[in-house]
């Protein structure tokens, strides 16, 4: 008899301000790589490393629902715990989020926490960053316009990363503690550029418009709600 597959959950955090086609493509691609049992999307509440978000939580959650409706064949959940903490005035720290997920999902579940490769350069500044590996695996993926050479990482992060690097199969066979770097997901999509076009009132039919990088239902919602004006 073969070994029963370990339950695997992929966790994506982000501002999603707004969610765009790059987010959808990233989730679908990583899902194809890992073949998880479920996906968790974690819209940011009050991220400590960013200024105020442009759209409020209710709108960002609704845009996520519209963007991912019917896109995946596996269960997808929008986890609002970071938003709930923000409503109480608390900043968002990934270690707290993963602690909550570990308590909810149990000690045997393989949790894969996906971050942008650019965030690895600042990982040592995250609260209790080394505890992340006690709670989950960390998967870093390329971000648009950002080329990461792992040799350039800060020494403490580089040592930890090199010691914990493993294959996708190895990540799925254990609950936490390993890492994986995927460098082929650099879609040139910028949420800030999309917000800028919306603020300037650019035409969605323009040849060079960034609006084509937003799922149509999301763009309709943005325009109906007069977001990012």
């Amino acid at each position: 008899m073969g070994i029963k597959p370990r339950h695997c959950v992929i966790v994506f955090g982000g501002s999603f301000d707004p969610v765009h086609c790059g987010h959808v493509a990233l989730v679908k691609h990583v899902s194809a790589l890992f073949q998880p049992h479920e996906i968790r999307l974690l819209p940011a509440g009050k991220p400590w490393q960013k200024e105020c978000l442009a759209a409020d939580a209710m709108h960002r959650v609704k845009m996520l629902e519209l963007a991912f409706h019917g896109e995946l064949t596996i269960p997808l959940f929008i986890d609002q715990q970071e938003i709930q903490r923000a409503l109480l005035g608390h900043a968002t720290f990934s270690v707290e989020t993963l602690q909550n997920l570990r308590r909810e999902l149990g000690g045997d579940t393989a949790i894969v926490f996906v971050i942008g490769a650019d965030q690895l350069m600042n990982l040592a500044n995250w609260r209790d960053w080394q505890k992340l590996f006690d709670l989950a695996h960390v998967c870093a993926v390329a971000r648009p316009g950002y080329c990461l050479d792992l040799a350039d990482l800060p020494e403490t992060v580089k040592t930890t990363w090199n010691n914990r690097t493993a294959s996708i199969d190895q990540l799925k066979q254990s609950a936490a503690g390993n890492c994986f770097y995927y460098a082929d997901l650099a879609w040139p999509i910028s949420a800030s550029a999309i917000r800028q076009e919306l603020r300037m009132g650019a035409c969605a039919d323009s040849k060079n418009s960034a609006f084509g990088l937003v799922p149509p239902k999301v763009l309709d919602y943005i325009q109906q709600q007069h977001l990012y004006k």
Side-chain angles (χ1 to χ4, degrees), residues 43-45 57 60-61 79-88 92:
R60 290 184 291 115
V61 169
D79 188 323
Q80 299 187 44
Q81 62 169 287
E82 295 189 351
I83 289 172
Q84 294 302 317
R85 291 206 297 273
L87 292 175
L88 297 174
T92 296

Side-chain angles (χ1 to χ4, degrees), residues 12 21-36 39 67-68 70-72 76 185 187:
F12 292 87
C21 294
H23 293 130
V24 178
L26 170 61
V27 171
K28 293 172 72 172
H29 194 88
V30 174
S31 297
L33 285 175
F34 281 89
Q35 295 293 307
I39 300 289
F68 283 94
E71 291 292 334
L72 296 170
L76 180 144
L185 294 172
W187 288 287

Side-chain angles (χ1 to χ4, degrees), residues 29-205:
H29 194 88
V30 174
S31 297
L33 285 175
F34 281 89
Q35 295 293 307
H37 294 86
E38 66 179 81
I39 300 289
R40 294 287 183 103
L41 300 180
L42 284 157
K46 187 179 179 183
W48 64 270
Q49 73 272 40
K50 289 189 176 183
E51 296 181 0
C52 293
L53 303 175
D56 68 27
M58 177 194 73
H59 290 308
R60 290 184 291 115
V61 169
K62 182 61 178 180
M63 287 188 284
L64 281 173
E65 292 173 350
L66 292 170
F68 283 94
H69 179 72
E71 291 292 334
L72 296 170
T73 58
I74 59 174
L76 180 144
F77 303 97
I78 301 174
D79 188 323
Q80 299 187 44
Q81 62 169 287
E82 295 189 351
I83 289 172
Q84 294 302 317
R85 291 206 297 273
L87 292 175
L88 297 174
H90 302 315
T92 296
F93 296 103
S94 296
V95 67
E96 296 175 355
T97 298
L98 292 177
Q99 285 170 340
N100 291 336
L101 285 173
R102 179 55 70 191
R103 282 192 290 268
E104 175 190 346
L105 297 171
D108 292 332
T109 298
I111 299 177
V112 181
F113 180 49
V114 179
I115 65 173
D118 54 316
Q119 295 177 2
L120 282 181
M121 295 301 296
N122 297 316
L123 190 63
N125 295 324
W126 290 26
R127 173 176 288 186
D128 297 330
W129 71 274
Q130 291 178 322
K131 290 184 179 179
L132 298 175
F133 297 96
D134 297 330
L135 300 163
H137 302 299
V138 178
C139 175
V141 296
R143 297 289 292 271
Y146 189 88
C147 181
L148 174 68
D149 186 342
L150 293 176
D152 294 334
L153 289 174
E155 201 61 36
T156 53
V157 175
K158 180 168 62 176
T159 299
T160 298
W161 194 265
N162 289 339
N163 289 340
R164 295 180 179 274
T165 294
S167 67
I168 290 176
D169 285 341
Q170 289 172 319
L171 267 63
K172 294 179 66 175
Q173 289 167 9
S174 58
N178 296 319
C179 57
F180 181 79
Y181 176 55
Y182 197 78
D184 298 328
L185 294 172
W187 288 287
I189 302 177
S190 167
S192 60
I194 294 169
R195 293 194 300 270
Q196 179 68 13
E197 284 201 21
L198 287 162
R199 281 195 295 268
M200 295 176 63
C203 177
D205 297 326

